[in-house]
Amino acid sequence: MENTPEQPDPNAAGKPVRENDPLKKATDKTTSFLQYSGLGLQMLITIGAGVWLGSWLDERQGNHTPIWTLVLALVSITGSIYLLIRGLPKQS
């Protein structure tokens, strides 16, 4: 059966999306989850890299007190929080 102008195709691309469409809600939730898990992974990698670099520098210099580890850990925590705040969506 062919579609006539009176009977639009229900699978057409121009079909309006309803507000309470379960597929749209599921897609929005998945997108939010992926965005926030990506931010968490970014924090983990940034802090881990700072601690690893500080540990490597302390070992290379033969420091008895882990000065570089502490300094770079704090710098990487501060930087990752800054990136987290910048990555959050803006609310109006």
Side-chain angles (χ1 to χ4, degrees), residues 9-47:
D9 184 9
N11 298 324
K15 181 175 128 179
V17 179
R18 295 179 298 190
E19 288 294 321
N20 58 358
D21 188 14
L23 182 59
K24 182 179 182 326
K25 288 181 182 177
T27 304
D28 290 344
K29 287 181 182 178
T30 303
T31 303
S32 295
F33 174 75
L34 290 175
Q35 178 185 7
Y36 292 125
S37 65
L39 288 172
L41 187 61
Q42 180 183 8
M43 283 185 74
L44 180 69
I45 291 172
T46 303
I47 295 169

mmCIF file of all heavy atoms in Angstrom, residues 9-47:
data_model
loop_
_atom_site.group_PDB
_atom_site.id
_atom_site.type_symbol
_atom_site.label_atom_id
_atom_site.label_comp_id
_atom_site.label_asym_id
_atom_site.label_seq_id
_atom_site.Cartn_x
_atom_site.Cartn_y
_atom_site.Cartn_z
ATOM 1 N N ASP A 9 4.043 8.724 6.017
ATOM 2 C CA ASP A 9 4.815 7.568 6.462
ATOM 3 C C ASP A 9 5.177 7.730 7.928
ATOM 4 O O ASP A 9 5.794 8.721 8.311
ATOM 5 C CB ASP A 9 6.077 7.443 5.607
ATOM 6 C CG ASP A 9 6.893 6.202 5.929
ATOM 7 O OD1 ASP A 9 6.404 5.346 6.695
ATOM 8 O OD2 ASP A 9 8.007 6.093 5.401
ATOM 9 N N PRO A 10 4.818 6.775 8.804
ATOM 10 C CA PRO A 10 5.147 6.917 10.234
ATOM 11 C C PRO A 10 6.638 6.832 10.515
ATOM 12 O O PRO A 10 7.105 7.241 11.559
ATOM 13 C CB PRO A 10 4.385 5.768 10.893
ATOM 14 C CG PRO A 10 4.136 4.783 9.813
ATOM 15 C CD PRO A 10 4.065 5.559 8.531
ATOM 16 N N ASN A 11 7.422 6.292 9.601
ATOM 17 C CA ASN A 11 8.866 6.163 9.791
ATOM 18 C C ASN A 11 9.645 7.274 9.093
ATOM 19 O O ASN A 11 10.848 7.178 8.928
ATOM 20 C CB ASN A 11 9.353 4.804 9.273
ATOM 21 C CG ASN A 11 8.723 3.660 10.038
ATOM 22 O OD1 ASN A 11 8.494 3.761 11.232
ATOM 23 N ND2 ASN A 11 8.418 2.581 9.345
ATOM 24 N N ALA A 12 8.971 8.314 8.690
ATOM 25 C CA ALA A 12 9.624 9.401 7.951
ATOM 26 C C ALA A 12 10.590 10.155 8.854
ATOM 27 O O ALA A 12 10.387 10.264 10.054
ATOM 28 C CB ALA A 12 8.587 10.362 7.393
ATOM 29 N N ALA A 13 11.636 10.705 8.251
ATOM 30 C CA ALA A 13 12.655 11.423 9.023
ATOM 31 C C ALA A 13 12.121 12.722 9.596
ATOM 32 O O ALA A 13 12.598 13.196 10.613
ATOM 33 C CB ALA A 13 13.863 11.701 8.136
ATOM 34 N N GLY A 14 11.135 13.322 8.973
ATOM 35 C CA GLY A 14 10.595 14.589 9.440
ATOM 36 C C GLY A 14 9.552 14.440 10.532
ATOM 37 O O GLY A 14 8.892 15.391 10.901
ATOM 38 N N LYS A 15 9.392 13.247 11.046
ATOM 39 C CA LYS A 15 8.387 12.987 12.072
ATOM 40 C C LYS A 15 8.726 13.752 13.348
ATOM 41 O O LYS A 15 9.850 13.686 13.833
ATOM 42 C CB LYS A 15 8.361 11.483 12.354
ATOM 43 C CG LYS A 15 7.346 11.058 13.376
ATOM 44 C CD LYS A 15 7.336 9.551 13.461
ATOM 45 C CE LYS A 15 7.489 9.128 14.883
ATOM 46 N NZ LYS A 15 7.471 7.702 15.065
ATOM 47 N N PRO A 16 7.783 14.507 13.894
ATOM 48 C CA PRO A 16 8.080 15.259 15.114
ATOM 49 C C PRO A 16 8.301 14.334 16.305
ATOM 50 O O PRO A 16 7.663 13.294 16.427
ATOM 51 C CB PRO A 16 6.834 16.135 15.318
ATOM 52 C CG PRO A 16 5.752 15.436 14.566
ATOM 53 C CD PRO A 16 6.419 14.708 13.439
ATOM 54 N N VAL A 17 9.235 14.705 17.154
ATOM 55 C CA VAL A 17 9.533 13.908 18.343
ATOM 56 C C VAL A 17 8.643 14.396 19.478
ATOM 57 O O VAL A 17 8.577 15.582 19.761
ATOM 58 C CB VAL A 17 11.023 14.050 18.734
ATOM 59 C CG1 VAL A 17 11.331 13.260 19.979
ATOM 60 C CG2 VAL A 17 11.889 13.607 17.586
ATOM 61 N N ARG A 18 7.971 13.464 20.117
ATOM 62 C CA ARG A 18 7.107 13.826 21.233
ATOM 63 C C ARG A 18 7.948 14.047 22.480
ATOM 64 O O ARG A 18 9.023 13.481 22.631
ATOM 65 C CB ARG A 18 6.095 12.716 21.493
ATOM 66 C CG ARG A 18 5.135 12.530 20.334
ATOM 67 C CD ARG A 18 4.205 11.420 20.632
ATOM 68 N NE ARG A 18 5.012 10.210 20.779
ATOM 69 C CZ ARG A 18 4.530 8.992 20.869
ATOM 70 N NH1 ARG A 18 3.259 8.793 20.861
ATOM 71 N NH2 ARG A 18 5.318 7.958 20.985
ATOM 72 N N GLU A 19 7.446 14.862 23.375
ATOM 73 C CA GLU A 19 8.152 15.175 24.620
ATOM 74 C C GLU A 19 8.321 13.945 25.500
ATOM 75 O O GLU A 19 9.321 13.781 26.160
ATOM 76 C CB GLU A 19 7.401 16.259 25.396
ATOM 77 C CG GLU A 19 7.505 17.626 24.757
ATOM 78 C CD GLU A 19 8.914 18.161 24.789
ATOM 79 O OE1 GLU A 19 9.612 17.962 25.789
ATOM 80 O OE2 GLU A 19 9.327 18.769 23.782
ATOM 81 N N ASN A 20 7.334 13.073 25.531
ATOM 82 C CA ASN A 20 7.392 11.906 26.423
ATOM 83 C C ASN A 20 7.818 10.644 25.679
ATOM 84 O O ASN A 20 7.475 9.548 26.079
ATOM 85 C CB ASN A 20 6.039 11.705 27.110
ATOM 86 C CG ASN A 20 4.913 11.529 26.109
ATOM 87 O OD1 ASN A 20 5.133 11.598 24.910
ATOM 88 N ND2 ASN A 20 3.716 11.311 26.601
ATOM 89 N N ASP A 21 8.562 10.789 24.610
ATOM 90 C CA ASP A 21 9.039 9.654 23.835
ATOM 91 C C ASP A 21 10.081 8.879 24.644
ATOM 92 O O ASP A 21 11.108 9.437 25.036
ATOM 93 C CB ASP A 21 9.645 10.145 22.527
ATOM 94 C CG ASP A 21 10.001 9.021 21.576
ATOM 95 O OD1 ASP A 21 9.558 7.883 21.804
ATOM 96 O OD2 ASP A 21 10.722 9.282 20.597
ATOM 97 N N PRO A 22 9.848 7.586 24.928
ATOM 98 C CA PRO A 22 10.804 6.822 25.747
ATOM 99 C C PRO A 22 12.183 6.685 25.088
ATOM 100 O O PRO A 22 13.192 6.650 25.774
ATOM 101 C CB PRO A 22 10.152 5.457 25.921
ATOM 102 C CG PRO A 22 8.885 5.469 25.166
ATOM 103 C CD PRO A 22 8.681 6.816 24.579
ATOM 104 N N LEU A 23 12.232 6.625 23.769
ATOM 105 C CA LEU A 23 13.520 6.508 23.080
ATOM 106 C C LEU A 23 14.344 7.773 23.266
ATOM 107 O O LEU A 23 15.551 7.719 23.504
ATOM 108 C CB LEU A 23 13.303 6.233 21.595
ATOM 109 C CG LEU A 23 14.561 6.031 20.754
ATOM 110 C CD1 LEU A 23 15.361 4.852 21.296
ATOM 111 C CD2 LEU A 23 14.216 5.818 19.312
ATOM 112 N N LYS A 24 13.701 8.940 23.215
ATOM 113 C CA LYS A 24 14.409 10.209 23.412
ATOM 114 C C LYS A 24 14.929 10.305 24.848
ATOM 115 O O LYS A 24 16.057 10.723 25.079
ATOM 116 C CB LYS A 24 13.486 11.381 23.110
ATOM 117 C CG LYS A 24 14.156 12.731 23.245
ATOM 118 C CD LYS A 24 13.190 13.839 22.903
ATOM 119 C CE LYS A 24 13.750 15.217 22.964
ATOM 120 N NZ LYS A 24 14.729 15.539 23.917
ATOM 121 N N LYS A 25 14.117 9.891 25.821
ATOM 122 C CA LYS A 25 14.549 9.931 27.221
ATOM 123 C C LYS A 25 15.729 8.998 27.452
ATOM 124 O O LYS A 25 16.685 9.349 28.144
ATOM 125 C CB LYS A 25 13.397 9.553 28.145
ATOM 126 C CG LYS A 25 12.336 10.612 28.253
ATOM 127 C CD LYS A 25 11.242 10.181 29.194
ATOM 128 C CE LYS A 25 10.151 11.223 29.276
ATOM 129 N NZ LYS A 25 9.053 10.785 30.129
ATOM 130 N N ALA A 26 15.690 7.809 26.869
ATOM 131 C CA ALA A 26 16.787 6.849 27.027
ATOM 132 C C ALA A 26 18.061 7.378 26.381
ATOM 133 O O ALA A 26 19.154 7.235 26.933
ATOM 134 C CB ALA A 26 16.408 5.507 26.424
ATOM 135 N N THR A 27 17.936 8.007 25.230
ATOM 136 C CA THR A 27 19.103 8.570 24.546
ATOM 137 C C THR A 27 19.707 9.706 25.360
ATOM 138 O O THR A 27 20.927 9.813 25.483
ATOM 139 C CB THR A 27 18.709 9.070 23.144
ATOM 140 O OG1 THR A 27 18.123 7.997 22.426
ATOM 141 C CG2 THR A 27 19.909 9.579 22.389
ATOM 142 N N ASP A 28 18.867 10.568 25.938
ATOM 143 C CA ASP A 28 19.360 11.669 26.765
ATOM 144 C C ASP A 28 20.083 11.143 28.001
ATOM 145 O O ASP A 28 21.125 11.666 28.387
ATOM 146 C CB ASP A 28 18.211 12.588 27.190
ATOM 147 C CG ASP A 28 17.654 13.393 26.029
ATOM 148 O OD1 ASP A 28 18.345 13.473 24.983
ATOM 149 O OD2 ASP A 28 16.541 13.925 26.165
ATOM 150 N N LYS A 29 19.549 10.101 28.636
ATOM 151 C CA LYS A 29 20.185 9.530 29.823
ATOM 152 C C LYS A 29 21.529 8.901 29.469
ATOM 153 O O LYS A 29 22.497 9.042 30.204
ATOM 154 C CB LYS A 29 19.279 8.490 30.476
ATOM 155 C CG LYS A 29 18.098 9.077 31.194
ATOM 156 C CD LYS A 29 17.261 8.006 31.829
ATOM 157 C CE LYS A 29 16.049 8.591 32.514
ATOM 158 N NZ LYS A 29 15.196 7.549 33.093
ATOM 159 N N THR A 30 21.580 8.204 28.335
ATOM 160 C CA THR A 30 22.834 7.577 27.911
ATOM 161 C C THR A 30 23.885 8.635 27.600
ATOM 162 O O THR A 30 25.044 8.498 27.990
ATOM 163 C CB THR A 30 22.592 6.701 26.667
ATOM 164 O OG1 THR A 30 21.591 5.732 26.978
ATOM 165 C CG2 THR A 30 23.861 5.999 26.229
ATOM 166 N N THR A 31 23.483 9.705 26.937
ATOM 167 C CA THR A 31 24.413 10.781 26.606
ATOM 168 C C THR A 31 24.957 11.422 27.874
ATOM 169 O O THR A 31 26.157 11.679 27.988
ATOM 170 C CB THR A 31 23.719 11.833 25.728
ATOM 171 O OG1 THR A 31 23.212 11.195 24.563
ATOM 172 C CG2 THR A 31 24.680 12.933 25.333
ATOM 173 N N SER A 32 24.092 11.669 28.858
ATOM 174 C CA SER A 32 24.541 12.258 30.123
ATOM 175 C C SER A 32 25.506 11.330 30.838
ATOM 176 O O SER A 32 26.524 11.757 31.371
ATOM 177 C CB SER A 32 23.344 12.553 31.022
ATOM 178 O OG SER A 32 22.533 13.535 30.455
ATOM 179 N N PHE A 33 25.184 10.037 30.870
ATOM 180 C CA PHE A 33 26.049 9.068 31.529
ATOM 181 C C PHE A 33 27.422 9.032 30.885
ATOM 182 O O PHE A 33 28.444 9.039 31.584
ATOM 183 C CB PHE A 33 25.406 7.673 31.487
ATOM 184 C CG PHE A 33 26.294 6.594 32.010
ATOM 185 C CD1 PHE A 33 26.512 6.457 33.369
ATOM 186 C CD2 PHE A 33 26.929 5.721 31.148
ATOM 187 C CE1 PHE A 33 27.339 5.470 33.856
ATOM 188 C CE2 PHE A 33 27.762 4.737 31.627
ATOM 189 C CZ PHE A 33 27.966 4.605 32.990
ATOM 190 N N LEU A 34 27.468 9.003 29.571
ATOM 191 C CA LEU A 34 28.755 8.952 28.869
ATOM 192 C C LEU A 34 29.555 10.231 29.081
ATOM 193 O O LEU A 34 30.767 10.189 29.245
ATOM 194 C CB LEU A 34 28.531 8.712 27.377
ATOM 195 C CG LEU A 34 28.038 7.329 26.998
ATOM 196 C CD1 LEU A 34 27.745 7.257 25.506
ATOM 197 C CD2 LEU A 34 29.043 6.271 27.392
ATOM 198 N N GLN A 35 28.860 11.370 29.109
ATOM 199 C CA GLN A 35 29.558 12.638 29.317
ATOM 200 C C GLN A 35 30.192 12.682 30.699
ATOM 201 O O GLN A 35 31.372 13.029 30.848
ATOM 202 C CB GLN A 35 28.579 13.800 29.168
ATOM 203 C CG GLN A 35 29.214 15.151 29.407
ATOM 204 C CD GLN A 35 28.188 16.272 29.362
ATOM 205 O OE1 GLN A 35 26.988 16.025 29.282
ATOM 206 N NE2 GLN A 35 28.658 17.489 29.396
ATOM 207 N N TYR A 36 29.449 12.310 31.735
ATOM 208 C CA TYR A 36 29.977 12.388 33.088
ATOM 209 C C TYR A 36 31.007 11.289 33.378
ATOM 210 O O TYR A 36 31.956 11.513 34.109
ATOM 211 C CB TYR A 36 28.842 12.345 34.111
ATOM 212 C CG TYR A 36 27.995 13.582 34.049
ATOM 213 C CD1 TYR A 36 26.624 13.514 33.858
ATOM 214 C CD2 TYR A 36 28.567 14.846 34.145
ATOM 215 C CE1 TYR A 36 25.856 14.656 33.787
ATOM 216 C CE2 TYR A 36 27.819 15.995 34.068
ATOM 217 C CZ TYR A 36 26.458 15.895 33.894
ATOM 218 O OH TYR A 36 25.703 17.024 33.815
ATOM 219 N N SER A 37 30.846 10.117 32.788
ATOM 220 C CA SER A 37 31.862 9.088 32.995
ATOM 221 C C SER A 37 33.157 9.476 32.285
ATOM 222 O O SER A 37 34.248 9.177 32.767
ATOM 223 C CB SER A 37 31.369 7.726 32.510
ATOM 224 O OG SER A 37 31.164 7.731 31.115
ATOM 225 N N GLY A 38 33.042 10.172 31.166
ATOM 226 C CA GLY A 38 34.232 10.672 30.480
ATOM 227 C C GLY A 38 34.966 11.714 31.304
ATOM 228 O O GLY A 38 36.198 11.734 31.355
ATOM 229 N N LEU A 39 34.216 12.571 31.997
ATOM 230 C CA LEU A 39 34.845 13.567 32.868
ATOM 231 C C LEU A 39 35.557 12.891 34.040
ATOM 232 O O LEU A 39 36.651 13.296 34.429
ATOM 233 C CB LEU A 39 33.800 14.557 33.383
ATOM 234 C CG LEU A 39 33.253 15.553 32.371
ATOM 235 C CD1 LEU A 39 32.095 16.346 32.969
ATOM 236 C CD2 LEU A 39 34.340 16.479 31.898
ATOM 237 N N GLY A 40 34.938 11.866 34.599
ATOM 238 C CA GLY A 40 35.568 11.132 35.698
ATOM 239 C C GLY A 40 36.839 10.423 35.251
ATOM 240 O O GLY A 40 37.847 10.415 35.968
ATOM 241 N N LEU A 41 36.794 9.835 34.074
ATOM 242 C CA LEU A 41 37.980 9.166 33.544
ATOM 243 C C LEU A 41 39.092 10.172 33.262
ATOM 244 O O LEU A 41 40.268 9.898 33.525
ATOM 245 C CB LEU A 41 37.612 8.412 32.263
ATOM 246 C CG LEU A 41 38.687 7.536 31.663
ATOM 247 C CD1 LEU A 41 39.090 6.434 32.644
ATOM 248 C CD2 LEU A 41 38.198 6.922 30.370
ATOM 249 N N GLN A 42 38.721 11.349 32.783
ATOM 250 C CA GLN A 42 39.707 12.406 32.542
ATOM 251 C C GLN A 42 40.374 12.819 33.856
ATOM 252 O O GLN A 42 41.595 13.015 33.904
ATOM 253 C CB GLN A 42 39.027 13.605 31.891
ATOM 254 C CG GLN A 42 39.955 14.753 31.607
ATOM 255 C CD GLN A 42 39.215 15.946 31.030
ATOM 256 O OE1 GLN A 42 37.991 15.979 30.976
ATOM 257 N NE2 GLN A 42 39.966 16.930 30.596
ATOM 258 N N MET A 43 39.599 12.960 34.930
ATOM 259 C CA MET A 43 40.169 13.301 36.237
ATOM 260 C C MET A 43 41.130 12.219 36.701
ATOM 261 O O MET A 43 42.227 12.505 37.184
ATOM 262 C CB MET A 43 39.060 13.471 37.277
ATOM 263 C CG MET A 43 38.307 14.762 37.193
ATOM 264 S SD MET A 43 37.134 14.939 38.531
ATOM 265 C CE MET A 43 38.251 15.285 39.890
ATOM 266 N N LEU A 44 40.714 10.966 36.578
ATOM 267 C CA LEU A 44 41.542 9.845 37.017
ATOM 268 C C LEU A 44 42.873 9.815 36.274
ATOM 269 O O LEU A 44 43.937 9.658 36.886
ATOM 270 C CB LEU A 44 40.785 8.532 36.810
ATOM 271 C CG LEU A 44 41.503 7.263 37.223
ATOM 272 C CD1 LEU A 44 41.643 7.205 38.740
ATOM 273 C CD2 LEU A 44 40.747 6.058 36.721
ATOM 274 N N ILE A 45 42.839 10.002 34.983
ATOM 275 C CA ILE A 45 44.072 9.960 34.182
ATOM 276 C C ILE A 45 44.967 11.149 34.509
ATOM 277 O O ILE A 45 46.191 10.999 34.642
ATOM 278 C CB ILE A 45 43.735 9.903 32.680
ATOM 279 C CG1 ILE A 45 43.110 8.539 32.359
ATOM 280 C CG2 ILE A 45 44.953 10.161 31.822
ATOM 281 C CD1 ILE A 45 42.554 8.426 30.958
ATOM 282 N N THR A 46 44.381 12.335 34.674
ATOM 283 C CA THR A 46 45.176 13.531 34.972
ATOM 284 C C THR A 46 45.882 13.403 36.318
ATOM 285 O O THR A 46 47.081 13.669 36.437
ATOM 286 C CB THR A 46 44.278 14.788 34.971
ATOM 287 O OG1 THR A 46 43.632 14.888 33.706
ATOM 288 C CG2 THR A 46 45.081 16.041 35.226
ATOM 289 N N ILE A 47 45.145 12.983 37.340
ATOM 290 C CA ILE A 47 45.744 12.844 38.674
ATOM 291 C C ILE A 47 46.769 11.714 38.690
ATOM 292 O O ILE A 47 47.854 11.850 39.256
ATOM 293 C CB ILE A 47 44.643 12.623 39.732
ATOM 294 C CG1 ILE A 47 43.763 13.879 39.834
ATOM 295 C CG2 ILE A 47 45.237 12.277 41.080
ATOM 296 C CD1 ILE A 47 42.499 13.677 40.639
#
